[in-house]
Amino acid sequence: MTDAESRAADEQRAADAEMPSAERLKAFTDAVVAIAMTLLILPLMDSVTDATESGAGAWVAAEWPSLLTFMLSFVLIANFWITHHRMFAKVERVNQALLWLTILWMFTIVWLPVATAITSTFEPDPIEKLLYVGSLIVTSLVLTLTRVYLIHHPELHREKPSRLREGLIVGVIITALFTVALLMMLIVPTLNYWWMFLLFLTSPLHALVMRMRGETPGRRA
């Protein structure tokens, strides 16, 4: 090893030493997701306070679209967290690139309560749909890019390459389905967020791709 290579290696080790541990990053991510999921309920709490004189039935009748959007966003954030948790389960080291990918992903998660509140406050229009579903596309895309990064940096984890590649297929499918749902919302707005049910195609599409590759789908990809 040359002197230049030795200095570069020393600088890299020093930089890695300044990074948070994998466990600390996972704990921080869990906390951010928990806060984001909690923030989803705040607009509904405010509407309950404002409707104290109208009765519970009138409140439900007036706020059912907001209730559905809240439940949808809650489930989606929970699913994103589960995916992230499984992806990072065997990550043992964090470098600068992985750290910033994770921070970017957390940014998209924190934005989702704002996007959800926008859907509940304003009448449906292309901008509102773009802000909400577009946010979901970016969140899914960042997760997919993180998985690609881990595939190319096996020194950071002890996950099987086959698991990461299969998870990458699932991530691409989900990102594509979010994109198709957004396009259909803009083309056929009468169905509005019902196009999100396209996400139920994830499992059959995943199974189809795996069969085409001559492989058996894993249960937790």
Side-chain angles (χ1 to χ4, degrees):
M1 180 181 292
T2 65
D3 291 343
E5 291 174 337
S6 179
R7 285 196 298 273
D10 290 341
E11 290 175 358
Q12 184 60 50
R13 283 193 291 270
D16 290 344
E18 295 175 356
M19 292 293 104
S21 67
E23 292 305 316
R24 186 170 185 179
L25 181 60
K26 295 172 191 176
F28 182 49
T29 304
D30 291 348
V32 169
V33 172
I35 292 171
M37 295 175 78
T38 303
L39 289 175
L40 288 172
I41 199 68
L42 293 183
L44 288 172
M45 294 294 294
D46 292 338
S47 68
V48 169
T49 302
D50 295 338
T52 52
E53 297 181 0
S54 58
W59 177 82
V60 172
E63 297 295 334
W64 71 265
S66 298
L67 287 167
L68 290 178
T69 307
F70 159 73
M71 289 186 288
L72 175 63
S73 295
F74 190 92
V75 170
L76 288 171
I77 292 179
N79 187 68
F80 282 134
W81 174 80
I82 291 170
T83 302
H84 189 276
H85 174 73
R86 289 174 177 171
M87 188 193 313
F88 272 69
K90 296 185 180 180
V91 171
E92 297 179 331
R93 291 180 55 235
V94 176
N95 61 14
Q96 192 169 26
L98 183 60
L99 174 64
W100 281 105
L101 277 170
T102 306
I103 290 173
L104 177 59
W105 181 77
M106 288 189 287
F107 173 82
T108 67
I109 290 293
V110 171
W111 165 254
L112 281 175
V114 180
T116 302
I118 289 173
T119 66
S120 304
T121 304
F122 302 103
E123 292 297 321
D125 61 33
I127 298 300
E128 172 258 326
K129 294 170 185 175
L130 183 62
L131 288 173
Y132 184 71
V133 185
S135 301
L136 299 172
I137 293 171
V138 174
T139 304
S140 181
L141 181 59
V142 174
L143 270 180
T144 301
L145 292 176
T146 303
R147 201 182 297 271
V148 170
Y149 187 81
L150 290 174
I151 289 174
H152 288 89
H153 292 80
E155 73 278 5
L156 300 178
H157 60 87
R158 51 185 177 84
E159 184 60 272
K160 295 178 180 178
S162 59
R163 282 287 303 277
L164 286 173
R165 288 194 296 270
E166 185 175 359
L168 178 60
I169 293 172
V170 175
V172 170
I173 290 172
I174 292 174
T175 305
L177 289 175
F178 275 132
T179 304
V180 171
L182 175 59
L183 291 174
M184 295 308 298
M185 285 179 195
L186 299 176
I187 296 171
V188 188
T190 52
L191 292 179
N192 206 13
Y193 286 98
W194 291 104
W195 286 112
M196 296 293 286
F197 280 98
L198 287 172
L199 290 170
F200 283 108
L201 295 175
T202 301
S203 291
L205 287 175
H206 171 224
L208 175 62
V209 172
M210 295 303 291
R211 282 197 299 269
M212 292 173 62
R213 291 166 55 93
E215 302 176 19
T216 302
R219 290 185 303 169
R220 298 177 15 143

mmCIF file of all heavy atoms in Angstrom, residues 152-187:
data_model
loop_
_atom_site.group_PDB
_atom_site.id
_atom_site.type_symbol
_atom_site.label_atom_id
_atom_site.label_comp_id
_atom_site.label_asym_id
_atom_site.label_seq_id
_atom_site.Cartn_x
_atom_site.Cartn_y
_atom_site.Cartn_z
ATOM 1 N N HIS A 152 -24.481 -2.725 -3.221
ATOM 2 C CA HIS A 152 -23.146 -2.419 -3.725
ATOM 3 C C HIS A 152 -22.128 -2.174 -2.612
ATOM 4 O O HIS A 152 -20.949 -1.922 -2.901
ATOM 5 C CB HIS A 152 -23.199 -1.199 -4.647
ATOM 6 C CG HIS A 152 -23.848 -1.485 -5.973
ATOM 7 N ND1 HIS A 152 -25.210 -1.350 -6.186
ATOM 8 C CD2 HIS A 152 -23.325 -1.924 -7.141
ATOM 9 C CE1 HIS A 152 -25.492 -1.670 -7.434
ATOM 10 N NE2 HIS A 152 -24.373 -2.026 -8.035
ATOM 11 N N HIS A 153 -22.570 -2.243 -1.358
ATOM 12 C CA HIS A 153 -21.653 -2.046 -0.225
ATOM 13 C C HIS A 153 -21.883 -3.143 0.817
ATOM 14 O O HIS A 153 -22.378 -2.880 1.917
ATOM 15 C CB HIS A 153 -21.838 -0.659 0.387
ATOM 16 C CG HIS A 153 -21.391 0.447 -0.512
ATOM 17 N ND1 HIS A 153 -22.176 0.913 -1.545
ATOM 18 C CD2 HIS A 153 -20.220 1.158 -0.572
ATOM 19 C CE1 HIS A 153 -21.518 1.876 -2.172
ATOM 20 N NE2 HIS A 153 -20.337 2.034 -1.619
ATOM 21 N N PRO A 154 -21.512 -4.366 0.480
ATOM 22 C CA PRO A 154 -21.741 -5.490 1.403
ATOM 23 C C PRO A 154 -20.940 -5.385 2.697
ATOM 24 O O PRO A 154 -21.255 -6.090 3.664
ATOM 25 C CB PRO A 154 -21.298 -6.707 0.571
ATOM 26 C CG PRO A 154 -20.346 -6.156 -0.445
ATOM 27 C CD PRO A 154 -20.861 -4.791 -0.771
ATOM 28 N N GLU A 155 -19.926 -4.529 2.732
ATOM 29 C CA GLU A 155 -19.130 -4.385 3.953
ATOM 30 C C GLU A 155 -19.917 -3.728 5.080
ATOM 31 O O GLU A 155 -19.479 -3.750 6.246
ATOM 32 C CB GLU A 155 -17.860 -3.579 3.663
ATOM 33 C CG GLU A 155 -18.061 -2.093 3.429
ATOM 34 C CD GLU A 155 -18.486 -1.752 2.005
ATOM 35 O OE1 GLU A 155 -18.710 -2.687 1.207
ATOM 36 O OE2 GLU A 155 -18.600 -0.544 1.700
ATOM 37 N N LEU A 156 -21.075 -3.149 4.759
ATOM 38 C CA LEU A 156 -21.869 -2.453 5.772
ATOM 39 C C LEU A 156 -22.869 -3.353 6.471
ATOM 40 O O LEU A 156 -23.458 -2.948 7.478
ATOM 41 C CB LEU A 156 -22.627 -1.273 5.141
ATOM 42 C CG LEU A 156 -21.779 -0.178 4.480
ATOM 43 C CD1 LEU A 156 -22.692 0.883 3.864
ATOM 44 C CD2 LEU A 156 -20.821 0.445 5.475
ATOM 45 N N HIS A 157 -23.081 -4.561 5.965
ATOM 46 C CA HIS A 157 -24.151 -5.405 6.504
ATOM 47 C C HIS A 157 -23.800 -6.874 6.318
ATOM 48 O O HIS A 157 -22.789 -7.226 5.694
ATOM 49 C CB HIS A 157 -25.471 -5.093 5.790
ATOM 50 C CG HIS A 157 -25.408 -5.337 4.313
ATOM 51 N ND1 HIS A 157 -25.663 -6.566 3.739
ATOM 52 C CD2 HIS A 157 -25.083 -4.511 3.272
ATOM 53 C CE1 HIS A 157 -25.515 -6.491 2.431
ATOM 54 N NE2 HIS A 157 -25.166 -5.262 2.120
ATOM 55 N N ARG A 158 -24.675 -7.728 6.857
ATOM 56 C CA ARG A 158 -24.517 -9.172 6.699
ATOM 57 C C ARG A 158 -25.782 -9.804 6.130
ATOM 58 O O ARG A 158 -26.071 -10.976 6.373
ATOM 59 C CB ARG A 158 -24.136 -9.822 8.042
ATOM 60 C CG ARG A 158 -25.041 -9.446 9.196
ATOM 61 C CD ARG A 158 -24.547 -10.015 10.515
ATOM 62 N NE ARG A 158 -25.380 -9.583 11.621
ATOM 63 C CZ ARG A 158 -26.511 -10.163 11.994
ATOM 64 N NH1 ARG A 158 -26.947 -11.228 11.319
ATOM 65 N NH2 ARG A 158 -27.202 -9.721 13.025
ATOM 66 N N GLU A 159 -26.534 -9.014 5.355
ATOM 67 C CA GLU A 159 -27.736 -9.521 4.709
ATOM 68 C C GLU A 159 -27.358 -10.322 3.467
ATOM 69 O O GLU A 159 -26.365 -10.028 2.799
ATOM 70 C CB GLU A 159 -28.658 -8.361 4.319
ATOM 71 C CG GLU A 159 -29.988 -8.776 3.716
ATOM 72 C CD GLU A 159 -30.823 -9.622 4.650
ATOM 73 O OE1 GLU A 159 -30.646 -10.864 4.619
ATOM 74 O OE2 GLU A 159 -31.621 -9.052 5.412
ATOM 75 N N LYS A 160 -28.149 -11.344 3.160
ATOM 76 C CA LYS A 160 -27.894 -12.139 1.973
ATOM 77 C C LYS A 160 -28.163 -11.299 0.727
ATOM 78 O O LYS A 160 -29.184 -10.614 0.637
ATOM 79 C CB LYS A 160 -28.795 -13.373 1.954
ATOM 80 C CG LYS A 160 -28.531 -14.356 3.082
ATOM 81 C CD LYS A 160 -29.500 -15.529 3.001
ATOM 82 C CE LYS A 160 -29.256 -16.520 4.126
ATOM 83 N NZ LYS A 160 -30.236 -17.644 4.075
ATOM 84 N N PRO A 161 -27.272 -11.334 -0.266
ATOM 85 C CA PRO A 161 -27.499 -10.566 -1.504
ATOM 86 C C PRO A 161 -28.824 -10.926 -2.172
ATOM 87 O O PRO A 161 -29.492 -10.051 -2.732
ATOM 88 C CB PRO A 161 -26.305 -10.956 -2.381
ATOM 89 C CG PRO A 161 -25.243 -11.373 -1.418
ATOM 90 C CD PRO A 161 -25.969 -12.014 -0.273
ATOM 91 N N SER A 162 -29.225 -12.185 -2.100
ATOM 92 C CA SER A 162 -30.482 -12.602 -2.735
ATOM 93 C C SER A 162 -31.673 -11.914 -2.083
ATOM 94 O O SER A 162 -32.637 -11.531 -2.770
ATOM 95 C CB SER A 162 -30.639 -14.123 -2.649
ATOM 96 O OG SER A 162 -30.635 -14.557 -1.293
ATOM 97 N N ARG A 163 -31.637 -11.737 -0.753
ATOM 98 C CA ARG A 163 -32.723 -11.045 -0.057
ATOM 99 C C ARG A 163 -32.796 -9.587 -0.472
ATOM 100 O O ARG A 163 -33.883 -9.026 -0.677
ATOM 101 C CB ARG A 163 -32.535 -11.153 1.452
ATOM 102 C CG ARG A 163 -32.931 -12.482 2.064
ATOM 103 C CD ARG A 163 -34.448 -12.654 2.101
ATOM 104 N NE ARG A 163 -35.081 -11.582 2.830
ATOM 105 C CZ ARG A 163 -35.205 -11.546 4.154
ATOM 106 N NH1 ARG A 163 -34.741 -12.538 4.881
ATOM 107 N NH2 ARG A 163 -35.799 -10.532 4.747
ATOM 108 N N LEU A 164 -31.627 -8.953 -0.593
ATOM 109 C CA LEU A 164 -31.598 -7.555 -0.990
ATOM 110 C C LEU A 164 -32.100 -7.381 -2.422
ATOM 111 O O LEU A 164 -32.849 -6.448 -2.720
ATOM 112 C CB LEU A 164 -30.177 -7.003 -0.860
ATOM 113 C CG LEU A 164 -29.686 -6.731 0.566
ATOM 114 C CD1 LEU A 164 -28.222 -6.356 0.552
ATOM 115 C CD2 LEU A 164 -30.515 -5.624 1.221
ATOM 116 N N ARG A 165 -31.699 -8.286 -3.304
ATOM 117 C CA ARG A 165 -32.142 -8.188 -4.698
ATOM 118 C C ARG A 165 -33.644 -8.407 -4.803
ATOM 119 O O ARG A 165 -34.332 -7.720 -5.577
ATOM 120 C CB ARG A 165 -31.383 -9.197 -5.564
ATOM 121 C CG ARG A 165 -29.928 -8.828 -5.808
ATOM 122 C CD ARG A 165 -29.352 -9.678 -6.924
ATOM 123 N NE ARG A 165 -29.326 -11.088 -6.574
ATOM 124 C CZ ARG A 165 -28.315 -11.692 -5.981
ATOM 125 N NH1 ARG A 165 -27.209 -11.005 -5.665
ATOM 126 N NH2 ARG A 165 -28.353 -12.986 -5.704
ATOM 127 N N GLU A 166 -34.170 -9.350 -4.032
ATOM 128 C CA GLU A 166 -35.612 -9.588 -4.066
ATOM 129 C C GLU A 166 -36.364 -8.384 -3.500
ATOM 130 O O GLU A 166 -37.390 -7.967 -4.032
ATOM 131 C CB GLU A 166 -35.966 -10.846 -3.280
ATOM 132 C CG GLU A 166 -37.443 -11.205 -3.379
ATOM 133 C CD GLU A 166 -37.775 -12.522 -2.692
ATOM 134 O OE1 GLU A 166 -36.855 -13.171 -2.153
ATOM 135 O OE2 GLU A 166 -38.961 -12.889 -2.691
ATOM 136 N N GLY A 167 -35.831 -7.824 -2.422
ATOM 137 C CA GLY A 167 -36.443 -6.621 -1.867
ATOM 138 C C GLY A 167 -36.400 -5.461 -2.841
ATOM 139 O O GLY A 167 -37.317 -4.634 -2.884
ATOM 140 N N LEU A 168 -35.333 -5.405 -3.643
ATOM 141 C CA LEU A 168 -35.231 -4.353 -4.652
ATOM 142 C C LEU A 168 -36.347 -4.485 -5.685
ATOM 143 O O LEU A 168 -36.931 -3.478 -6.112
ATOM 144 C CB LEU A 168 -33.862 -4.436 -5.334
ATOM 145 C CG LEU A 168 -33.601 -3.437 -6.465
ATOM 146 C CD1 LEU A 168 -33.707 -2.005 -5.956
ATOM 147 C CD2 LEU A 168 -32.227 -3.691 -7.077
ATOM 148 N N ILE A 169 -36.654 -5.717 -6.068
ATOM 149 C CA ILE A 169 -37.748 -5.947 -7.019
ATOM 150 C C ILE A 169 -39.063 -5.432 -6.439
ATOM 151 O O ILE A 169 -39.839 -4.747 -7.114
ATOM 152 C CB ILE A 169 -37.855 -7.445 -7.362
ATOM 153 C CG1 ILE A 169 -36.621 -7.892 -8.158
ATOM 154 C CG2 ILE A 169 -39.134 -7.738 -8.144
ATOM 155 C CD1 ILE A 169 -36.543 -9.387 -8.367
ATOM 156 N N VAL A 170 -39.308 -5.749 -5.170
ATOM 157 C CA VAL A 170 -40.537 -5.282 -4.512
ATOM 158 C C VAL A 170 -40.567 -3.754 -4.473
ATOM 159 O O VAL A 170 -41.599 -3.118 -4.750
ATOM 160 C CB VAL A 170 -40.652 -5.856 -3.091
ATOM 161 C CG1 VAL A 170 -41.871 -5.277 -2.375
ATOM 162 C CG2 VAL A 170 -40.748 -7.375 -3.130
ATOM 163 N N GLY A 171 -39.430 -3.140 -4.151
ATOM 164 C CA GLY A 171 -39.368 -1.687 -4.073
ATOM 165 C C GLY A 171 -39.655 -1.021 -5.403
ATOM 166 O O GLY A 171 -40.372 -0.011 -5.471
ATOM 167 N N VAL A 172 -39.112 -1.583 -6.475
ATOM 168 C CA VAL A 172 -39.365 -1.036 -7.813
ATOM 169 C C VAL A 172 -40.848 -1.175 -8.168
ATOM 170 O O VAL A 172 -41.454 -0.253 -8.728
ATOM 171 C CB VAL A 172 -38.481 -1.743 -8.856
ATOM 172 C CG1 VAL A 172 -38.900 -1.364 -10.267
ATOM 173 C CG2 VAL A 172 -37.014 -1.399 -8.623
ATOM 174 N N ILE A 173 -41.441 -2.325 -7.827
ATOM 175 C CA ILE A 173 -42.866 -2.538 -8.126
ATOM 176 C C ILE A 173 -43.733 -1.526 -7.378
ATOM 177 O O ILE A 173 -44.641 -0.908 -7.956
ATOM 178 C CB ILE A 173 -43.277 -3.975 -7.761
ATOM 179 C CG1 ILE A 173 -42.630 -4.974 -8.722
ATOM 180 C CG2 ILE A 173 -44.805 -4.123 -7.788
ATOM 181 C CD1 ILE A 173 -42.832 -6.423 -8.330
ATOM 182 N N ILE A 174 -43.453 -1.325 -6.090
ATOM 183 C CA ILE A 174 -44.257 -0.395 -5.296
ATOM 184 C C ILE A 174 -44.116 1.030 -5.821
ATOM 185 O O ILE A 174 -45.106 1.765 -5.957
ATOM 186 C CB ILE A 174 -43.851 -0.471 -3.815
ATOM 187 C CG1 ILE A 174 -44.264 -1.831 -3.231
ATOM 188 C CG2 ILE A 174 -44.482 0.659 -3.015
ATOM 189 C CD1 ILE A 174 -43.793 -2.061 -1.817
ATOM 190 N N THR A 175 -42.890 1.439 -6.125
ATOM 191 C CA THR A 175 -42.675 2.781 -6.664
ATOM 192 C C THR A 175 -43.422 2.959 -7.977
ATOM 193 O O THR A 175 -44.049 4.001 -8.227
ATOM 194 C CB THR A 175 -41.175 3.044 -6.863
ATOM 195 O OG1 THR A 175 -40.474 2.828 -5.630
ATOM 196 C CG2 THR A 175 -40.933 4.471 -7.334
ATOM 197 N N ALA A 176 -43.374 1.930 -8.823
ATOM 198 C CA ALA A 176 -44.071 1.992 -10.108
ATOM 199 C C ALA A 176 -45.584 2.073 -9.912
ATOM 200 O O ALA A 176 -46.275 2.837 -10.610
ATOM 201 C CB ALA A 176 -43.710 0.774 -10.955
ATOM 202 N N LEU A 177 -46.131 1.310 -8.950
ATOM 203 C CA LEU A 177 -47.573 1.334 -8.705
ATOM 204 C C LEU A 177 -48.027 2.680 -8.152
ATOM 205 O O LEU A 177 -49.110 3.178 -8.505
ATOM 206 C CB LEU A 177 -47.968 0.198 -7.752
ATOM 207 C CG LEU A 177 -47.900 -1.213 -8.345
ATOM 208 C CD1 LEU A 177 -48.190 -2.259 -7.273
ATOM 209 C CD2 LEU A 177 -48.889 -1.360 -9.506
ATOM 210 N N PHE A 178 -47.229 3.291 -7.267
ATOM 211 C CA PHE A 178 -47.544 4.639 -6.798
ATOM 212 C C PHE A 178 -47.594 5.611 -7.984
ATOM 213 O O PHE A 178 -48.482 6.462 -8.070
ATOM 214 C CB PHE A 178 -46.489 5.123 -5.797
ATOM 215 C CG PHE A 178 -46.736 4.692 -4.378
ATOM 216 C CD1 PHE A 178 -45.719 4.134 -3.627
ATOM 217 C CD2 PHE A 178 -47.978 4.874 -3.778
ATOM 218 C CE1 PHE A 178 -45.927 3.750 -2.315
ATOM 219 C CE2 PHE A 178 -48.193 4.492 -2.459
ATOM 220 C CZ PHE A 178 -47.164 3.929 -1.731
ATOM 221 N N THR A 179 -46.628 5.481 -8.891
ATOM 222 C CA THR A 179 -46.565 6.370 -10.049
ATOM 223 C C THR A 179 -47.765 6.173 -10.965
ATOM 224 O O THR A 179 -48.373 7.150 -11.424
ATOM 225 C CB THR A 179 -45.260 6.117 -10.828
ATOM 226 O OG1 THR A 179 -44.136 6.288 -9.948
ATOM 227 C CG2 THR A 179 -45.134 7.091 -11.993
ATOM 228 N N VAL A 180 -48.133 4.914 -11.205
ATOM 229 C CA VAL A 180 -49.306 4.624 -12.038
ATOM 230 C C VAL A 180 -50.574 5.164 -11.369
ATOM 231 O O VAL A 180 -51.446 5.745 -12.032
ATOM 232 C CB VAL A 180 -49.431 3.115 -12.297
ATOM 233 C CG1 VAL A 180 -50.757 2.788 -12.983
ATOM 234 C CG2 VAL A 180 -48.268 2.622 -13.147
ATOM 235 N N ALA A 181 -50.680 4.984 -10.042
ATOM 236 C CA ALA A 181 -51.848 5.488 -9.320
ATOM 237 C C ALA A 181 -51.966 7.004 -9.467
ATOM 238 O O ALA A 181 -53.064 7.536 -9.687
ATOM 239 C CB ALA A 181 -51.759 5.099 -7.850
ATOM 240 N N LEU A 182 -50.836 7.712 -9.355
ATOM 241 C CA LEU A 182 -50.857 9.166 -9.496
ATOM 242 C C LEU A 182 -51.300 9.565 -10.909
ATOM 243 O O LEU A 182 -52.139 10.453 -11.089
ATOM 244 C CB LEU A 182 -49.482 9.747 -9.188
ATOM 245 C CG LEU A 182 -49.325 11.256 -9.419
ATOM 246 C CD1 LEU A 182 -50.318 12.037 -8.571
ATOM 247 C CD2 LEU A 182 -47.890 11.685 -9.124
ATOM 248 N N LEU A 183 -50.747 8.903 -11.909
ATOM 249 C CA LEU A 183 -51.117 9.223 -13.283
ATOM 250 C C LEU A 183 -52.602 8.971 -13.527
ATOM 251 O O LEU A 183 -53.287 9.779 -14.174
ATOM 252 C CB LEU A 183 -50.278 8.388 -14.254
ATOM 253 C CG LEU A 183 -48.785 8.733 -14.320
ATOM 254 C CD1 LEU A 183 -48.046 7.740 -15.218
ATOM 255 C CD2 LEU A 183 -48.587 10.153 -14.826
ATOM 256 N N MET A 184 -53.130 7.872 -12.991
ATOM 257 C CA MET A 184 -54.543 7.564 -13.178
ATOM 258 C C MET A 184 -55.429 8.560 -12.426
ATOM 259 O O MET A 184 -56.533 8.886 -12.884
ATOM 260 C CB MET A 184 -54.834 6.133 -12.732
ATOM 261 C CG MET A 184 -54.143 5.066 -13.579
ATOM 262 S SD MET A 184 -54.435 5.263 -15.359
ATOM 263 C CE MET A 184 -56.216 5.051 -15.444
ATOM 264 N N MET A 185 -54.976 9.032 -11.272
ATOM 265 C CA MET A 185 -55.739 10.057 -10.553
ATOM 266 C C MET A 185 -55.863 11.321 -11.388
ATOM 267 O O MET A 185 -56.896 12.002 -11.360
ATOM 268 C CB MET A 185 -55.047 10.392 -9.227
ATOM 269 C CG MET A 185 -55.196 9.353 -8.150
ATOM 270 S SD MET A 185 -54.314 9.885 -6.666
ATOM 271 C CE MET A 185 -54.252 8.331 -5.771
ATOM 272 N N LEU A 186 -54.796 11.658 -12.102
ATOM 273 C CA LEU A 186 -54.810 12.868 -12.916
ATOM 274 C C LEU A 186 -55.615 12.671 -14.197
ATOM 275 O O LEU A 186 -56.267 13.596 -14.679
ATOM 276 C CB LEU A 186 -53.372 13.277 -13.260
ATOM 277 C CG LEU A 186 -52.470 13.610 -12.059
ATOM 278 C CD1 LEU A 186 -51.054 13.903 -12.524
ATOM 279 C CD2 LEU A 186 -53.026 14.789 -11.271
ATOM 280 N N ILE A 187 -55.578 11.441 -14.736
ATOM 281 C CA ILE A 187 -56.291 11.161 -15.992
ATOM 282 C C ILE A 187 -57.770 10.897 -15.742
ATOM 283 O O ILE A 187 -58.645 11.364 -16.479
ATOM 284 C CB ILE A 187 -55.647 9.956 -16.708
ATOM 285 C CG1 ILE A 187 -54.216 10.295 -17.121
ATOM 286 C CG2 ILE A 187 -56.466 9.560 -17.938
ATOM 287 C CD1 ILE A 187 -53.434 9.100 -17.636
#
